[in-house]
Amino acid sequence: MTQDIFLLIEHIQGQVSDISYIMTAAARKLAQKEGGSVIGILLGSGAEHLKDTLAVDKVIYCDHPALAEFTSDAYERTLVSLLTEYSPRAVLFGNTTLGADVSSSLSTNMEFPIVSSCIEVTESGSLISQICGGKIMVESQLADKTTLITVNPGGYKPEAGQSDSTPETIKFSPPDLENLKVKLSQYIEPDIGDVDISQEKVLVGIGRGIQREDNIELAEKLAELLGGEVCASRPVIDQGWLPTSRLVGKSGKTVKPNLYISLGISGATEHTEGVIDSKTIIAINSDPDAPIFDIAQYGIEVDLFDLIDPLLEQIESVKNESSG
Amino acid sequence: MTEIVVIARLVPDLVEELEIAPSGTALDLSWLRVIINEFDNHAIEQAIILKERSGATVTIISPEAEGVEDMLFTTAAKGADRLIKLTGIGEEKPTNLSLAQTLATMIKEMNPDLVLNGVQAHDDITGDLAPQLAQLLDMPYVGYISGVSLDGGKAKAYKEYPGGILAEMEINLPAVLGIQSSEEPPRYVAISKVRQMMNSTSIEEIQSSELETESGVVIKRMYLPEAAERAEMLEGDEKEVATKITSILQDLGLL
Ligand SMILES: Cc1cc2nc3c(=O)[nH]c(=O)nc-3n(C[C@H](O)[C@H](O)[C@H](O)COP(=O)(O)OP(=O)(O)OC[C@H]3O[C@@H](n4cnc5c(N)ncnc54)[C@H](O)[C@@H]3O)c2cc1C
């Protein structure tokens, strides 16, 4: 085993995902402690240039038509062969639709221990993970063999893993990628929807705390008074109460409004990663321990149904005063 | 007939206050209220949808926990055919790898076409269960799935990417899929129907093999997040709070 820290560079449709930069920043911390280099693994087809913006020391690049876009089977076969040859100290994967498809099965296949949901590496080289929707933190240490780590956003800004200096490339020959059991047929672009929430200046985010479809109207009224739109957390979308184009977070959109008012949203990391760059966040939640209060500037511990009517009245009366 | 196996687990209810066990390295499970993992619930729904669409036998396997029988009978009321409780789980949460090993031994004998599981569970720290199980069963795995159809020896599944993009994947069967959301929201069943099931169906119990609770990664401690920079909490009765919010909105230039 070497002391090098590897990371799987994620790219979709020719774009390097932010998580790759975030992992680079985390890997750098770990490499400082372990004394190795930071090495990016890039799998693709004619995609070597994607390494150019990453602040890694080297990139191991493997080129094959079957690696053009991500599929779990082709990636896993390649990674097994690559990690067997290089035997790094640790390998970072995004806890994402790409990374999570291969990291856990690789860990089983290669008998490498795995740690989930890491957001930060401390000065002493400990891994800090966040689980239970952000309500529990876990501090752990690398095992005494190659350790796999899945990384959540939140601990590092993507800029911390970016660089202008092009890293050196090492070419890696692909293994046999015939008879794959998983194939990508096509990408399906989302319905654009009636509004693009990523462009809105004011958003009212609705969570499971809204309880019933009928109640969404209350949030819409609030949004309308402020010249904004409503968006939602996953459970509201999964109920079919609002279209997917209004989903905020990991599997939805990233939004950056001047004001985000969250109504009955707990603040799970999969949601907050999509709202963290809002200028001001006002969170309304009846649970004083809700993690949403950790990222909000203003918080109100209250049953939203008790607050919403007086709030709508207040806003209306101020608006009437200023227009009258 | 198509054989579908669903793994459904109970996880801590995050609405409750969570506590750390005296060991300092695990959740205190003794008073914890558990509920079905939301994504496993979607996996169950997806299995029932597939059964209704083209016929299948649906088996649900759940590790024992407080309330697991009620959960299993509820799945029967929705249309599940066979209910299995995995016993011998012990006080501490086992690693996903050792749980996957026990499950793999059981599932191999069932010879399923499709194994469904929620894509993640919020209390997992040792990787995800479904891909580990897939590896042990020597089946392909694809996760983050919302929508599945079966056709001949293949599954067509929609995998979610950020920003609402879907990847249509073709997967050779048998396969393991990690479900993010079912095509329709999980259905509601009346308590009376669940009670009927309690009288007409039975739960098989299968003893798990010895389970590991340590993975090689050293857990040094578990702790509640330190209140770093908490929000400024607005206090007062609803009217007062409404006034405070309104003045913040004015300061932001929104009114
Ligand atoms: C792979 C993956 C991807 C995901 N992607 C996303 C994503 O893109 N976006 C997303 O949002 N989630 C996503 N999730 C789900 C995420 O983990 C959480 O489950 C989800 O964000 C929780 O939504 P919520 O806060 O609305 O619901 P809950 O967590 O159930 O919280 C409801 C909140 O409402 C509060 N509440 C209840 N009643 C009231 C009341 N009367 N007044 C005030 N407050 C009240 C409660 O205190 C609670 O805090 C993803 C999960 C996974 C595993």
Side-chain angles (χ1 to χ4, degrees):
Chain A
M1 183 171 73
T2 69
Q3 292 308 106
D4 295 336
I5 310 298
F6 280 34
L7 61 106
L8 177 66
I9 299 169
E10 296 197 359
H11 57 97
I12 301 165
Q13 296 181 301
Q15 291 278 331
V16 175
S17 314
D18 273 355
I19 193 73
S20 306
Y21 301 110
I22 292 169
M23 285 192 283
T24 302
R28 181 64 62 197
K29 285 268 174 146
L30 210 48
Q32 270 157 12
K33 177 68 186 20
E34 301 294 326
S37 304
V38 174
I39 299 179
I41 305 170
L42 182 59
L43 312 182
S45 177
E48 193 183 334
H49 63 280
L50 293 179
K51 74 187 162 92
D52 289 352
T53 49
L54 285 146
V56 295
D57 299 318
K58 283 178 202 157
V59 165
I60 300 175
Y61 178 59
C62 183
D63 195 285
H64 190 284
L67 297 170
E69 293 295 328
F70 173 82
T71 64
S72 49
D73 196 5
Y75 261 57
E76 192 183 321
R77 287 193 206 179
T78 310
L79 288 166
V80 166
S81 131
L82 192 151
L83 295 178
T84 306
E85 180 166 330
Y86 283 94
S87 187
R89 180 72 190 91
V91 191
L92 278 55
F93 297 86
N95 190 8
T96 58
T97 194
L98 269 68
D101 261 21
V102 288
S103 50
S104 289
S105 46
L106 268 176
S107 115
T108 304
N109 186 326
M110 305 193 74
E111 298 182 10
F112 292 153
I114 180 165
V115 189
S116 311
S117 305
C118 177
I119 56 161
E120 199 189 332
V121 178
T122 67
E123 291 304 325
S124 61
S126 285
L127 309 170
I128 306 294
S129 300
Q130 203 175 26
I131 58 168
C132 294
K135 285 195 156 185
I136 297 288
M137 311 297 288
V138 186
E139 180 177 347
S140 63
Q141 264 178 337
L142 296 185
D144 51 16
K145 53 178 170 172
T146 302
T147 304
L148 309 186
I149 302 166
T150 69
V151 177
N152 281 349
Y156 302 96
K157 294 237 176 273
E159 297 80 62
Q162 288 168 351
S163 160
D164 306 329
S165 56
T166 306
E168 173 196 339
T169 307
I170 304 165
K171 293 261 163 77
F172 183 78
S173 318
D176 172 18
L177 295 177
E178 296 297 310
N179 301 318
L180 292 168
K181 291 177 174 173
V182 178
K183 289 199 191 85
L184 171 69
S185 308
Q186 58 170 332
Y187 285 118
I188 301 167
E189 297 294 329
D191 279 343
I192 302 164
D194 46 350
V195 286
D196 181 358
I197 54 169
S198 69
Q199 302 301 319
E200 289 294 324
K201 296 283 170 249
V202 176
L203 286 170
V204 176
I206 314 168
R208 204 195 316 256
I210 201 77
Q211 291 170 9
R212 294 207 327 268
E213 187 171 9
D214 303 348
N215 295 332
I216 288 181
E217 219 175 286
L218 297 168
E220 282 172 339
K221 232 186 230 166
L222 178 60
E224 196 188 323
L225 280 174
L226 299 173
E229 288 289 343
V230 296
C231 57
S233 68
R234 176 114 215 168
V236 172
I237 304 292
D238 282 346
Q239 284 298 322
W241 295 345
L242 283 173
T244 310
S245 57
R246 305 255 179 172
L247 174 62
V248 173
K250 183 170 178 156
S251 37
K253 293 212 169 111
T254 298
V255 297
K256 300 178 175 119
N258 293 333
L259 174 66
Y260 186 84
I261 302 182
S262 85
L263 292 178
I265 292 179
S266 61
T269 46
E270 291 88 0
H271 182 77
T272 56
E273 68 175 81
V275 299
I276 197 89
D277 289 330
S278 307
K279 276 219 184 89
T280 302
I281 299 176
I282 302 179
I284 298 168
N285 195 306
S286 50
D287 173 7
D289 295 326
I292 191 77
F293 292 132
D294 294 336
I295 66 150
Q297 281 71 49
Y298 303 100
I300 304 104
E301 178 197 337
V302 69
D303 184 325
L304 74 92
F305 299 107
D306 292 337
L307 178 65
I308 194 92
D309 285 331
L311 180 59
L312 292 173
E313 275 167 34
Q314 266 291 332
I315 295 175
E316 271 171 345
S317 83
V318 169
K319 285 191 87 150
N320 288 340
E321 266 170 43
S322 55
S323 65
Chain B
M1 180 77 97
T2 308
E3 288 285 337
I4 304 176
V5 173
V6 184
I7 318 298
R9 289 187 289 170
L10 295 166
V11 294
D13 185 349
L14 297 181
V15 173
E16 305 283 305
E17 204 163 313
L18 303 181
E19 282 179 40
I20 308 296
S23 70
T25 58
L27 277 180
D28 191 343
L29 300 177
S30 45
W31 303 106
L32 207 65
R33 204 175 71 178
V34 288
I35 54 168
I36 186 164
N37 173 20
E38 188 170 1
F39 305 105
D40 291 346
N41 203 23
H42 282 269
I44 292 165
E45 184 62 34
Q46 186 63 56
I48 305 294
I49 290 173
L50 288 171
K51 172 177 171 172
E52 288 172 345
R53 204 184 281 150
S54 46
T57 310
V58 176
T59 302
I60 315 284
I61 308 178
S62 292
E64 67 182 341
E66 183 83 34
V68 75
E69 287 88 1
D70 288 351
M71 188 267 272
L72 284 169
F73 285 125
T74 306
T75 68
K78 292 178 177 186
D81 301 285
R82 188 176 168 201
L83 313 176
I84 298 175
K85 177 167 84 174
L86 185 66
T87 61
I89 300 299
E91 292 283 288
E92 266 183 75
K93 184 178 158 76
T95 65
N96 273 345
L97 178 60
S98 71
L99 189 58
Q101 281 160 339
T102 267
L103 289 168
T105 316
M106 287 167 61
I107 292 172
K108 263 183 201 146
E109 285 175 22
M110 299 174 185
N111 228 345
D113 302 281
L114 190 64
V115 179
L116 302 182
N117 185 212
V119 63
Q120 290 190 337
H122 65 63
D123 62 337
D124 280 343
I125 185 76
T126 55
D128 301 326
L129 179 64
Q132 302 191 16
L133 184 59
Q135 186 63 237
L136 296 168
L137 292 169
D138 196 21
M139 293 181 191
Y141 171 75
V142 182
Y144 290 68
I145 298 299
S146 58
V148 187
S149 58
L150 302 178
D151 188 14
K154 299 210 154 107
K156 186 161 86 175
Y158 296 94
K159 177 174 173 63
E160 290 194 0
Y161 280 69
I165 299 170
L166 290 177
E168 185 185 313
M169 295 282 186
E170 191 187 276
I171 305 147
N172 290 11
L173 296 177
V176 180
L177 300 180
I179 302 294
Q180 170 89 65
S181 62
S182 42
E183 280 155 60
E184 299 292 330
R187 68 194 69 194
Y188 170 81
V189 284
I191 293 285
S192 58
K193 211 168 162 209
V194 178
R195 285 223 190 86
Q196 266 174 26
M197 287 298 154
M198 290 178 179
N199 297 324
S200 59
T201 342
S202 61
I203 296 175
E204 298 165 51
E205 291 191 9
I206 299 185
Q207 173 77 21
S208 81
S209 51
E210 187 93 30
L211 296 169
E212 299 285 335
T213 54
E214 282 177 26
S215 72
V217 169
V218 183
I219 306 283
K220 283 164 67 182
R221 61 177 182 133
M222 268 194 203
Y223 55 102
L224 306 178
E226 288 130 16
E229 275 177 67
R230 293 274 291 183
E232 177 188 327
M233 300 302 283
L234 308 181
E235 312 282 348
D237 65 26
E238 284 81 17
K239 274 223 169 99
E240 288 161 359
V241 169
T243 310
K244 287 180 185 171
I245 298 176
T246 309
S247 79
I248 293 169
L249 298 175
Q250 283 178 302
D251 290 346
L252 291 172
L254 290 166
L255 294 175

